Amino acid sequence: GHGLVTDLSAQELKNLDATKIMPQFTKEGVPSLAETLSALPGGTITNIELKSPGRFAKAALVEKVLSAAQLHQDRLTIIFSSFDGEILSLLRAQKPNYLISLLLCNRDHHWPWALKYWHHIQPDALHLPPSLATKTILSLAKNAQLPVAIWTINNPVVAHNYFAHGVSGIFT
């Protein structure tokens, strides 16, 4: 498929073939968030990244995601993350005890805007690209007792190096 996910219905997403380049698997459409969460084994740490909803209201996005996630809060550790400070602020206002991580990226203009929501978000962690995982930022996060996870690290040696410098987790 091609195009924006927000332009497709749930049924259209189901009709896509997520295994097309892997002929050893049978055709599998894109699962819904509820289906994905249901398929995960208990105890799994799960990151739900909320993207900007495009033409849809941010409050509606938060409502739908929370509705799907609430059914699994007792068996999964769910972390909600986003580059969008407004989305995270809405989530924090509705569910003050849920785990929230602010995603930052140095190649776009959104992260300074997201920081203006810092006091509303009160993030439990930061998710950073390697370019922002500097010694200074990691030291500031450590002093603030704010766990940091780095994305996307696919090299085990690099991952171990980040862990040695105090990073709490990686995305791979």
Side-chain angles (χ1 to χ4, degrees):
H2 65 277
L4 299 175
V5 171
T6 59
D7 291 340
L8 301 175
S9 70
Q11 190 56 53
E12 288 170 319
L13 289 170
K14 289 244 179 272
N15 290 337
L16 294 175
D17 184 2
T19 63
K20 187 175 182 178
I21 62 170
M22 297 174 272
Q24 69 271 29
F25 296 106
T26 57
K27 181 179 176 182
E28 186 69 42
V30 178
S32 68
L33 177 58
E35 290 168 335
T36 301
L37 295 174
S38 292
L40 295 173
T44 300
I45 299 172
T46 307
N47 181 74
I48 299 175
E49 182 181 341
L50 291 92
K51 301 281 190 182
S52 251
R55 67 183 196 275
F56 300 105
K58 292 178 182 184
L61 169 70
V62 169
E63 210 47 57
K64 285 182 181 284
V65 170
L66 287 177
S67 176
Q70 284 176 325
L71 300 173
H72 303 279
Q73 276 300 126
D74 293 337
R75 60 179 209 84
L76 303 173
T77 299
I78 300 177
I79 302 165
F80 298 90
S81 65
S82 183
F83 291 101
D84 191 315
E86 186 179 355
I87 287 173
L88 293 178
S89 184
L90 290 166
L91 198 145
R92 178 63 81 202
Q94 289 188 43
K95 296 294 181 183
N97 296 324
Y98 279 20
L99 296 173
I100 291 179
S101 182
L102 180 61
L103 275 157
L104 298 179
C105 181
N106 65 347
R107 72 177 187 275
D108 68 26
H109 61 282
H110 290 92
W111 74 268
W113 181 76
L115 289 179
K116 86 175 194 177
Y117 287 93
W118 186 275
H119 63 285
H120 295 291
I121 300 168
Q122 298 175 6
D124 300 294
L126 291 176
H127 293 170
L128 306 174
S131 58
L132 285 181
T134 65
K135 190 182 283 188
T136 301
I137 289 177
L138 293 178
S139 177
L140 289 169
K142 183 178 180 179
N143 288 341
Q145 299 180 340
L146 198 59
V148 173
I150 308 298
W151 50 271
T152 300
I153 305 297
N154 295 324
N155 180 321
V157 174
V158 174
H160 286 289
N161 186 41
Y162 276 114
F163 285 125
H165 286 93
V167 167
S168 302
I170 61 161
F171 291 90
T172 185

